[in-house]
Amino acid sequence: MPTVFTHVAVPVCAAIALGTRRVPVPALLAGMLASLAPDFDGLAFKLGIAYGGMAGHRGFTHTLVFALLLGLAGWWLAPRWGMRRAAGWAWIALC
């Protein structure tokens, strides 16, 4: 079963493999957050949103469209964070 620890394992292992020159610490932290983002839908239970709804668990946040939008957000934020490849990094972290 996926947990907080297993979700962040993908960006951490990728960062180790690529090295800190290619993946700076801010990018690693952003990747770790991106890997957890799809499971923020668990908050839907607290808000009274039905399990099977598009805003519910395993809804919109578990789609390729969401991954693309988060990658585009990373691309847009990359210059502000001093990173050139944030969009690709967010995509890798989500997958």
Side-chain angles (χ1 to χ4, degrees):
M1 174 194 267
T3 67
V4 172
F5 303 111
T6 58
H7 280 304
V8 298
V10 173
V12 169
C13 291
I16 291 169
L18 294 172
T20 55
R21 288 183 185 214
R22 303 232 11 220
V23 183
V25 173
L28 173 61
L29 296 175
M32 292 168 69
L33 182 62
S35 72
L36 295 172
D39 285 334
F40 289 155
D41 62 5
L43 298 174
F45 296 128
K46 299 283 185 189
L47 299 173
I49 297 172
Y51 181 88
M54 200 54 179
H57 190 59
R58 305 267 187 241
F60 178 69
T61 61
H62 284 79
T63 64
L64 288 176
V65 172
F66 179 78
L68 176 65
L69 291 175
L70 193 59
L72 288 172
W75 172 76
W76 183 74
L77 291 170
R80 291 154 183 79
W81 293 342
M83 295 180 287
R84 293 185 308 241
R85 297 184 179 122
W89 181 249
W91 180 269
I92 290 169
L94 277 165
C95 297

